[in-house]
């Protein structure tokens, strides 16, 4: 908002001077010196055959008068800009009155976001944690900035785990009723699934026959043969109930609760399109599509003739059908893109928030869809790959015994640790508050990192009530709430007088531009940092000023309005990050 206004002033002057090109303005890199700066003059002068410092001075002489800014030229040809007292008051009032606190809408694209990705019949584990956290925040960011966003949880519900789980339950004598009709229909519980799948998954690696049979069972389910399909539906139901509970605790909401299985009717259609384009062929009984591009699959010279051929930068063909006719992960993803483009019109982008280690899978899927025209040319297909959540040893976060941690256990851990913290701070709390704080700690700890990077999951650090943490931000809002609750003053015209207040306004303006940065980077770290900076500048102000006991009623009411403004800006940012703020803590 302010940057645009300064740019306009500069550009009017440039036009008067007959200079081609436009000046850009950024936040100052030397805050002691100025608030904003333009670094464009040097190159504009060069392009127009002028002396840089002379041009900078000419621009200053040709500026329309402005109440809100002071301009200064600095060597070699910078223009430094400072907000005036009137400027601070003017912009503070605009921010205060605007329902979005001055954040502009910047896009109206239609986007489908694929995140969550929990697998039916398998317990959710730590590897699935980042997807709902990042996905939910990106969804809120995109819609806040004006886009039409549809979120789809895309459950993993059409793969080998189905056959494995069902076969194991059968062999454990739990499914006799469905095959013999004897006795009563069993109640399938989550515990049964949670034992069956890991057992079967371990067996498939050792027992070739078992694996083959599980493949057969998976195929029967995919072919909707009874009673296999009916049992599958029961398993899915139990599982999805549990998945919904966990996602709701994490504050992830989905418009569509679809899964791989929902794209089933599009599988043959997709395979047909691919076949008609002459893209697929049979290899070892399987249906495959070559997707490698130049610079990929470069043969590495063999050391001996009987060594198997290896490749540099390998990009294997996408396998769409197995030897036995079963379909795979890539197939359901391709069919899902066909389904989305058939049932939802005008999607500008489809974005996947999935573990970075699935990079090649998405390259294969996207290339097949583009080649086959299943995704229109101008549609963006994007994999936003997130890094691994590591333990303090720098390795993927595991339990002490080396097992992957179940999401359920993580949530319990968040609640326990947050409870400890609240207890030691002498705060009254219940499970809901502990969960709210624990989840905020984890989310902010996660989102403050660049999405693509691995990070260390250090819950003790994340849970601190001081520093760059979720609880600190929640606490800041609660503190403002408690001040506002103690007064009947309604607030009045904002008068920015001291440096601490100026800093708050500047930090709100910075926070506002961090939305666009986050949008462009598809990562929320800049938004997290700017939110923290605003909270920190509020704390500094708060520590140095008496608010409620201020005698001058104009001043007191100006403070109250400023507090309301900070609260609105913080709440808006936290809600974009999908971090809940409790009333009190
Ligand atoms: N179920 C998958 C997994 O656990 C994640 C799904 C991601 N989304 C997708 N469209 N492939 O790895």
């Amino acid at each position: 908002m302010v940057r645009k206004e300064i740019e306009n002033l500069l550009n009017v002057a440039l036009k008067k001077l007959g200079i081609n090109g436009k000046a850009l303005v950024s936040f100052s890199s030397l805050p002691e010196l100025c608030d904003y700066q333009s670094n464009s003059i040097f190159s504009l002068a060069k392009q127009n055959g002028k002396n840089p410092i002379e041009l900078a001075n000419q621009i200053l002489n040709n500026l329309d008068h402005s109440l809100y800014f002071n301009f200064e030229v600095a060597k070699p040809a910078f223009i430094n800009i400072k907000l005036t007292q009137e400027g601070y008051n003017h912009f503070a009032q605009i921010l205060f009155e605007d329902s979005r606190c001055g954040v502009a809408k910047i896009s109206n694209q239609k986007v489908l976001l694929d995140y969550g990705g929990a697998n039916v019949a398998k317990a959710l584990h730590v590897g699935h944690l980042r997807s709902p956290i990042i996905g939910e925040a990106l969804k809120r960011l995109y819609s806040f900035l004006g886009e039409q966003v549809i979120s789809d949880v895309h459950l993993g519900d059409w793969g080998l785990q189905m056959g494995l789980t069902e076969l194991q339950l059968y062999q454990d004598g739990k499914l006799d009723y469905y095959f013999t009709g004897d006795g009563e229909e069993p109640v399938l519980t989550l515990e049964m699934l949670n034992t069956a799948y890991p057992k079967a998954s371990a067996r498939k690696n050792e027992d070739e026959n078992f694996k083959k049979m599980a493949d057969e069972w998976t195929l029967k389910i995919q072919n909707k043969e009874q009673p296999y399909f009916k049992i599958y539906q029961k398993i899915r139901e139990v599982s999805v109930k549990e998945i919904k509970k966990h996602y709701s605790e994490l504050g992830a909401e989905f418009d569509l609760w679809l899964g791989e299985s929902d794209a089933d009717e599009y599988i043959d259609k997709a395979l047909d399109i691919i076949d008609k384009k002459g893209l697929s062929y049979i290899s070892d009984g399987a249906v495959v599509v070559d997707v490698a591009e130049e610079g990929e699959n470069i043969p590495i010279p063999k050391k001996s003739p009987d060594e198997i051929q290896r490749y540099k930068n390998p990009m294997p063909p996408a396998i769409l059908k197995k030897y036995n006719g079963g379909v795979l992960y890539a197939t359901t993803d391709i069919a899902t893109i066909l389904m989305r483009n058939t049932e939802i019109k005008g999607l500008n982008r489809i974005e996947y928030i999935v573990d970075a280690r699935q990079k090649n899978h998405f390259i294969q899927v996207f290339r097949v869809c583009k080649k086959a025209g299943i995704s229109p040319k101008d549609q963006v297909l994007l994999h936003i790959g997130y890094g691994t959540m590591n333990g303090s040893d720098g390795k993927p976060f595991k339990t002490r015994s080396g097992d992957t941690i179940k999401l359920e256990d993580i949530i319990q851990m968040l609640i326990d640790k947050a409870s400890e913290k609240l207890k030691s701070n002498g705060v009254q709390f219940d499970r809901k508050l502990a969960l709210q704080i624990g989840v905020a700690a984890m989310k902010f700890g996660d989102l403050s990192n660049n999405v693509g990077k691995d990070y260390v999951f250090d819950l003790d650090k994340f849970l601190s009530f001081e520093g760059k943490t979720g609880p600190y931000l929640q606490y800041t809002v609660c503190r403002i709430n408690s001040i506002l609750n103690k007064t009947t003053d309604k607030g009045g015209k904002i008068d920015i007088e001291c440096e601490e207040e100026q800093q708050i306004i500047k930090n709100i303006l910075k926070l506002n531009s961090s939305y666009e940065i986050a949008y462009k980077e598809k990562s929320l770290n800049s938004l997290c940092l700017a939110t923290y900076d605003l909270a920190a500048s509020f704390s500094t102000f708060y520590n140095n000023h008496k608010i409620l006991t201020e005698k001058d009623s104009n001043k007191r009411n100006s403070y109250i309005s400023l507090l309301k403004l900070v609260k609105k800006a913080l709440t808006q940012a936290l809600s974009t990050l999908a971090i809940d703020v409790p009333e009190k803590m």
Side-chain angles (χ1 to χ4, degrees):
M1 166 170 100
V2 178
R3 270 187 305 152
K4 284 271 160 320
E5 220 165 306
I6 304 174
E7 281 172 3
N8 284 343
L9 284 167
L10 294 176
N11 288 327
V12 169
L14 283 169
K15 204 157 179 200
K16 274 197 218 161
L17 292 165
I19 300 290
N20 286 322
K22 291 214 175 319
L24 293 175
V25 167
S26 55
F27 287 105
S28 161
S29 52
L30 294 167
E32 322 76 55
L33 214 63
C34 58
D35 305 319
Y36 292 89
Q37 63 192 53
S38 177
N39 307 344
S40 316
I41 313 307
F42 200 84
S43 56
L44 283 173
K46 291 272 157 226
Q47 284 159 25
N48 288 270
K50 300 250 174 196
N51 172 302
I53 193 100
E54 267 171 31
L55 176 61
N57 280 314
Q58 282 173 347
I59 294 174
L60 248 60
N61 293 332
N62 281 279
L63 282 175
D64 287 345
H65 178 69
S66 162
L67 274 178
Y68 307 142
F69 311 107
N70 280 330
F71 292 84
E72 228 179 58
V73 171
K75 278 182 186 162
F78 294 118
I79 293 184
N80 292 342
I81 303 110
K82 269 186 149 172
L83 282 163
T84 62
Q85 169 83 36
E86 279 98 338
Y88 276 111
N89 287 346
H90 169 73
F91 292 113
Q93 202 59 36
I94 293 185
L95 293 172
F96 183 72
E97 280 163 21
D98 184 53
S99 63
R100 301 166 56 90
C101 251
V103 183
K105 295 193 178 176
I106 54 172
S107 166
N108 57 9
Q109 291 203 340
K110 190 164 172 182
V111 193
L112 189 134
L113 275 192
D114 180 315
Y115 62 92
N119 295 319
V120 162
K122 293 195 210 175
L124 269 164
H125 61 78
V126 56
H128 285 114
L129 196 54
R130 298 200 70 193
S131 181
I133 295 177
I134 299 163
E136 185 65 27
L138 283 179
K139 177 182 79 186
R140 293 187 186 203
L141 176 72
Y142 293 174
S143 22
F144 183 54
L145 295 181
E147 300 195 315
Q148 188 188 337
V149 194
I150 303 159
S151 57
D152 180 8
V153 68
H154 198 73
L155 299 170
D157 63 357
W158 216 222
L160 179 62
Q161 84 268 23
M162 307 306 318
L164 282 169
T165 309
E166 225 176 283
L167 179 59
Q168 186 62 51
L169 286 171
Y170 174 74
Q171 294 192 345
D172 287 344
K174 305 273 179 9
L175 303 177
D176 290 351
Y177 167 85
Y178 296 104
F179 291 87
T180 61
D182 291 344
E184 276 187 24
E185 182 165 359
V187 181
L188 295 177
T189 64
L190 198 65
E191 292 70 50
M192 282 157 77
L193 304 184
N194 286 348
T195 354
Y197 174 73
K199 197 163 150 192
S201 173
R203 278 181 73 192
K204 80 164 193 296
N205 300 329
E206 281 143 29
D207 184 342
E208 188 63 24
N209 267 335
F210 181 76
K211 162 84 175 35
K212 246 199 155 127
M213 231 173 131
D215 270 342
E216 306 279 291
W217 279 53
T218 306
L219 188 61
K220 287 182 208 281
I221 297 169
Q222 290 179 347
N223 289 337
K224 304 201 168 134
E225 252 179 65
Q226 299 297 7
Y228 306 91
F229 187 64
K230 189 160 95 190
I231 304 169
Y232 158 73
Q233 285 176 306
K234 302 246 169 210
I235 294 177
R236 192 183 188 282
E237 200 184 310
V238 175
S239 232
V240 169
K241 209 167 140 199
E242 172 81 357
I243 292 168
K244 284 195 170 168
K245 189 182 102 196
H246 287 325
Y247 281 148
S248 121
E249 284 179 321
L250 292 176
E253 294 153 6
F254 299 93
D255 301 310
L256 304 174
W257 273 91
L258 299 176
E260 296 166 347
S261 66
D262 292 289
D264 183 48
E265 57 169 304
Y266 287 90
I267 287 178
D268 286 343
K269 288 182 200 160
L271 289 172
D272 203 45
I273 295 172
I274 294 164
D275 181 47
K276 290 229 167 80
K277 289 250 161 165
L279 297 169
S280 52
Y281 62 93
I282 308 285
S283 162
D284 282 340
V287 179
V288 304
V289 176
D290 284 332
V291 292
E293 288 177 357
E294 215 169 295
E296 292 167 344
N297 289 347
I298 303 160
I300 301 174
K302 296 187 198 177
K303 291 207 180 81
S304 68
D306 41 309
E307 196 184 341
I308 57 161
Q309 180 64 57
R310 289 180 202 285
Y311 296 91
K312 214 161 76 188
N313 203 8
M315 183 50 66
I319 308 175
L320 305 187
K321 239 176 192 187
K322 286 207 224 186
Y323 68 95
N324 70 353
V327 297
L328 295 107
Y329 188 34
T331 333
T332 56
D333 258 328
I334 293 166
T336 304
I337 294 179
L338 179 61
M339 171 176 81
R340 287 171 179 164
N341 282 328
T342 312
E343 297 181 8
I344 308 170
K345 288 286 170 233
L347 285 173
N348 300 97
R349 310 193 313 266
I350 306 181
E351 298 185 358
Y352 297 78
I353 296 96
V354 183
D355 197 316
R357 288 169 288 192
Q358 294 194 23
K359 182 169 169 230
N360 280 358
H361 164 75
F362 285 105
I363 293 179
Q364 292 180 321
V365 167
F366 296 167
R367 285 186 187 170
V368 172
C369 288
K370 286 298 179 193
K371 281 185 173 195
I374 288 173
S375 160
K377 268 206 189 67
D378 56 355
Q379 179 176 70
V380 174
L381 299 175
L382 183 71
H383 170 211
I384 302 175
Y386 53 80
T388 310
M389 221 173 95
N390 287 329
S392 48
D393 57 356
K395 298 201 182 108
F397 196 62
K398 296 234 153 105
T399 59
R400 271 194 207 133
S401 57
D403 297 328
T404 36
I405 302 188
K406 286 203 222 130
L407 192 63
E408 197 182 353
D409 299 333
I410 299 238
I411 291 178
Q412 194 51 49
M413 191 161 103
L414 294 174
I415 296 177
D416 292 346
K417 290 243 179 191
S419 302
E420 251 171 58
K421 191 88 203 173
L422 287 165
K423 211 180 275 168
S424 73
N425 287 1
V427 182
Q428 282 240 338
F429 69 95
D430 53 11
R431 182 185 186 273
K432 185 172 164 228
L433 183 61
L435 179 70
Q436 235 171 2
I437 291 173
V439 169
M442 178 183 69
K443 285 189 172 183
F444 194 82
D446 186 301
L447 296 171
S448 330
N449 298 284
N450 186 294
V451 163
K453 297 244 161 72
D454 298 350
Y455 76 95
V456 174
F457 183 72
D458 182 348
L459 200 47
D460 291 314
K461 189 171 115 197
F462 294 173
L463 264 170
S464 166
F465 277 35
E466 270 152 48
K468 291 176 189 159
T469 69
Y472 170 69
L473 295 173
Q474 290 176 311
Y475 180 64
T476 308
V477 177
C478 287
R479 195 147 72 161
I480 298 179
N481 281 340
S482 109
I483 305 169
L484 293 176
N485 284 339
K486 281 192 203 121
T487 173
T488 50
D489 285 333
K490 291 279 166 286
K493 198 178 147 309
I494 302 184
D495 200 5
I496 300 294
E497 285 187 330
C498 62
E499 227 172 273
E500 285 108 331
E501 291 170 296
Q502 294 181 350
Q503 195 55 51
I504 289 180
I505 299 301
K506 276 192 276 190
N507 281 349
I508 295 180
L509 293 168
K510 276 198 182 161
L511 172 60
N512 286 358
S513 43
S514 74
Y515 285 88
E516 191 170 340
I517 301 174
Y519 175 81
K520 288 196 175 130
E521 292 179 344
K522 307 215 178 267
S523 178
L524 295 125
N525 45 325
S526 50
L527 185 61
C528 287
L529 190 65
T531 310
Y532 166 75
D533 284 342
L534 173 59
S537 60
F538 166 75
S539 301
T540 311
F541 164 76
Y542 179 73
N543 293 338
N544 295 338
H545 294 267
K546 299 255 174 295
I547 295 175
L548 296 179
T549 51
E550 169 59 48
K551 297 252 162 39
D552 177 342
S553 109
N554 282 340
K555 210 167 178 177
R556 199 173 61 239
N557 275 294
S558 163
Y559 287 164
I560 298 293
S561 293
L562 186 63
L563 252 62
K564 288 186 174 169
L565 171 60
V566 173
K567 176 183 165 176
K568 195 161 77 170
L570 286 178
T571 321
Q572 183 166 278
L574 289 171
S575 138
T576 305
L577 297 169
I579 293 179
D580 265 0
V581 181
E583 241 329 278
K584 271 211 290 219
M585 68 187 263

